[in-house]
Amino acid sequence: MRKTVNILISGNGGHYFELVKLYESLRNESTFCNCHDFIVLTSSDSRKIDLQHVSLREIRSKNSWWKSLMVFPLAILINIYSFFLLALRYRVNSIISTGPGTSIVPIVLGKTILNAKIVHVETMCKFQDLTLSGKIIKNFSDLFIVQNEELSEKYINEVTYGGRL
């Protein structure tokens, strides 16, 4: 019997630190989505949480659009492979994401193939509109949380205002 886990997904930098804050509040809950165990999927090298970490590839280069074109197809395939290895080993109960685009592939696969619960927390840096990854993930999320009231007013009935992490 495979062990049931919740997956925490983030990119690097601020997204990872938002995930750390989110995990610190979730671990104090008796259970989250009927499961106590968490695994981190991230493109960050940081290890601020004492959990198993699985690496994801960045799907774009922040410095060069040309490098992004070259990296994108391979990064997507590697992320699909990494996620499926994880899904074969564990029963995925829920996926909790703080973005960015790195989280799109596992969320789409988790929702469509594994029927996992999806929770996404949009970065607090966005006030006018959702991020590109947020616009995509919103369509797959069971719960989409924004940290700014302006966005909750703009996307009434589509997002939940959760305040700052």
Side-chain angles (χ1 to χ4, degrees):
M1 179 119 179
R2 296 181 302 168
K3 183 178 180 179
T4 302
V5 297
N6 296 307
I7 296 178
L8 302 169
I9 304 177
S10 77
N12 55 21
H15 295 283
Y16 184 77
F17 289 104
E18 285 180 343
L19 187 76
V20 169
K21 283 184 172 185
L22 183 60
Y23 172 70
E24 287 171 354
S25 63
L26 287 176
R27 74 175 176 192
N28 295 329
E29 298 289 325
S30 58
T31 60
F32 178 78
C33 295
N34 302 316
C35 178
H36 296 284
D37 298 309
F38 294 88
I39 293 176
V40 178
L41 275 174
T42 184
S43 59
S44 176
D45 292 332
S46 187
R47 299 288 187 263
K48 300 283 185 192
I49 308 173
D50 189 24
L51 293 173
Q52 177 184 347
H53 282 63
V54 176
S55 293
L56 289 176
R57 296 286 181 131
E58 283 287 341
I59 60 172
R60 68 181 177 95
S61 170
K62 295 178 181 178
N63 301 321
S64 166
W65 67 270
W66 178 250
K67 189 174 179 185
S68 292
L69 288 175
M70 303 301 283
V71 168
F72 182 79
L74 182 60
I76 292 291
L77 290 174
I78 291 171
N79 288 351
I80 290 170
Y81 178 74
S82 297
F83 183 76
F84 274 125
L85 285 180
L86 192 68
L88 288 172
R89 187 168 179 199
Y90 299 99
R91 183 181 170 277
V92 178
N93 186 52
S94 68
I95 299 173
I96 304 135
S97 167
T98 57
T102 306
S103 60
I104 294 172
V105 169
I107 285 175
V108 171
L109 294 174
K111 186 64 174 183
T112 57
I113 296 173
L114 304 176
N115 200 29
K117 295 177 186 105
I118 307 296
V119 177
H120 179 74
V121 179
E122 185 72 341
T123 180
M124 66 182 285
C125 298
K126 295 300 281 186
F127 289 89
Q128 303 298 319
D129 207 357
L130 298 176
T131 59
L132 178 59
S133 59
K135 290 176 183 177
I136 295 168
I137 293 169
K138 180 172 59 77
N139 299 310
F140 296 92
S141 294
D142 295 298
L143 178 61
F144 192 96
I145 301 169
V146 294
Q147 298 183 60
N148 292 307
E149 266 186 283
E150 293 89 344
L151 287 177
S152 66
E153 293 165 1
K154 183 174 182 176
Y155 292 95
I156 297 173
N157 300 326
E158 295 180 74
V159 302
T160 302
Y161 174 66
R164 287 183 51 193
L165 286 178

